[in-house]
Amino acid sequence: MSKRDDGSFDEFMRSSSPRLLRLAWLLTGGANSAEDLVQETLERVYVAWPRIEAGGTHNYARRVLVNLHTDSHRRRWRESLTSDVPETALADRTDQVVLADHLTAALAQLPVRERQCVVLRHHADLSEREVADTLNISTGTVKSSTSRGLARLRTLLVPEGDRHV
């Protein structure tokens, strides 16, 4: 590598992989597809490693991850989500895992753009401008997509009688 060595990439990979995996899991809704997405992201970051500025490595990786996720939805022939849930041992599940499953299922029902905006704004804690730059859309589109996504999540996650308008 010309500018930086493989050791710095190894350190970046170890420190960023958990964050990227959480983001990918929320975007894809599945552990296997999230792992594949992170692996492909890290491959592309490694190839571009000498060209990436030292302070912008995580932002670059996040943008690659989101772009790869968007591209995968453009190719509908690859995989499709099903409503079939694999059998699991209920005794091994905690309330937090059940809540995460409900959130993931609700996120999977959102359109891709709304899901990306909600996850980047509220999980990755990016500003509207940062989300707009990452997705290459306007700030207004981020605001409206996030608003619609959150409203849909409320209807999916909050029982009818518990909603406050």
Side-chain angles (χ1 to χ4, degrees):
M1 312 227 95
S2 59
K3 276 182 163 176
R4 298 189 317 229
D5 61 6
D6 286 344
S8 62
F9 178 78
D10 289 344
E11 183 179 320
F12 163 77
M13 186 177 67
R14 275 192 292 283
S15 67
S16 293
S17 289
R19 254 187 312 190
L20 291 171
L21 186 59
R22 282 190 299 274
L23 179 61
W25 183 73
L26 288 170
L27 289 173
T28 63
N32 292 334
S33 52
E35 289 170 355
D36 291 344
L37 184 60
V38 169
Q39 182 175 346
E40 189 171 353
T41 297
L42 291 173
E43 289 173 9
R44 293 198 183 189
V45 169
Y46 181 77
V47 169
W49 191 248
R51 297 186 313 270
I52 303 171
E53 293 181 25
T57 53
H58 186 69
N59 291 339
Y60 183 86
R62 184 179 53 239
R63 184 166 193 155
V64 168
L65 186 137
V66 170
N67 288 344
L68 286 171
H69 177 256
T70 301
D71 291 346
S72 73
H73 278 278
R74 289 185 182 142
R75 289 179 250 134
R76 292 280 181 201
W77 54 267
R78 290 181 71 178
E79 287 186 46
S80 62
L81 296 175
T82 67
S83 60
D84 298 332
V85 179
E87 291 185 30
T88 58
L90 292 178
D92 294 341
R93 302 182 66 127
T94 65
D95 290 341
Q96 193 172 25
V97 172
V98 171
L99 180 61
D101 286 348
H102 288 304
L103 177 60
T104 302
L107 283 169
Q109 293 182 42
L110 296 179
V112 174
R113 176 71 70 215
E114 289 177 15
R115 182 179 335 138
Q116 290 173 336
C117 288
V118 168
V119 169
L120 291 173
R121 282 284 291 134
H122 297 285
H123 175 71
D125 202 28
L126 299 181
S127 69
E128 290 166 344
R129 179 78 259 152
E130 291 170 319
V131 173
D133 291 344
T134 299
L135 298 176
N136 199 24
I137 58 177
S138 72
T139 305
T141 302
V142 171
K143 291 177 183 181
S144 62
S145 295
T146 303
S147 176
R148 283 192 307 271
L150 290 173
R152 178 74 176 129
L153 284 176
R154 280 186 208 100
T155 63
L156 294 169
L157 295 172
V158 179
E160 187 83 27
D162 293 342
R163 287 191 209 137
H164 299 9
V165 180

